Amino acid sequence: QVQLVESGGGLVQAGGSLRLSCAASGRIFSSTAMGWFRQAPGKEREFVASISRSGGNTDYADSVKGRFTISRDNAKNTVYLQMNSLKPEDTAVYYCAKSAVSSWSPSNPSYYTDWGQGTQVTVSS
């Protein structure tokens, strides 16, 4: 079983930036797609971004396109989420997840088999 540990969350003012990291254990990291999801208080978990195993395919939620960038370093077993121009509505717990697929980048959470514990991102207005 893969363990996923997120870091990099915190409190930032609107318009600021944060970079989230997700470190994965296990050699299978480089063989699967990875994703980021988020859950705000009182809301369902929602898709943010995903990346295929090679990094060649990415997908983003419309709400973060042009502001967030997902990337990965397979040598370090780490996936990143660079978040720029943050808005108060980006406030949520952000989760890293490992997918059961490899060559594409799914947005449906049903394709993900392992989840991290989450990291809190709070954007003040």
Side-chain angles (χ1 to χ4, degrees):
Q1 186 174 357
V2 175
Q3 286 191 323
L4 304 172
V5 179
E6 303 97 335
S7 62
L11 173 65
V12 64
Q13 288 188 331
S17 298
L18 283 174
R19 188 194 196 200
L20 305 183
S21 299
C22 173
S25 64
R27 294 184 299 172
I28 65 172
F29 173 83
S30 61
S31 65
T32 68
M34 299 291 295
W36 286 97
F37 292 76
R38 67 186 182 186
Q39 187 167 18
K43 296 187 177 181
E44 293 186 354
R45 190 172 297 189
E46 65 175 1
F47 169 74
V48 176
S50 59
I51 187 167
S52 61
R53 66 176 178 177
S54 68
N57 290 310
T58 57
D59 193 15
Y60 296 92
D62 288 343
S63 59
V64 307
K65 280 182 181 177
R67 300 188 297 122
F68 291 10
T69 302
I70 188 171
S71 62
R72 66 190 297 163
D73 185 337
N74 288 341
K76 295 182 178 180
N77 279 9
T78 303
V79 62
Y80 305 97
L81 185 68
Q82 177 66 44
M83 306 186 295
N84 298 329
S85 301
L86 283 161
K87 304 175 181 180
E89 50 263 44
D90 294 318
T91 295
V93 177
Y94 283 71
Y95 298 90
C96 169
K98 183 188 79 68
S99 173
V101 303
S102 59
S103 60
W104 53 292
S105 50
S107 60
N108 190 322
S110 66
Y111 286 101
Y112 291 83
T113 57
D114 298 90
W115 297 79
Q117 294 299 307
T119 185
Q120 176 70 46
V121 171
T122 303
V123 184
S124 63
S125 57

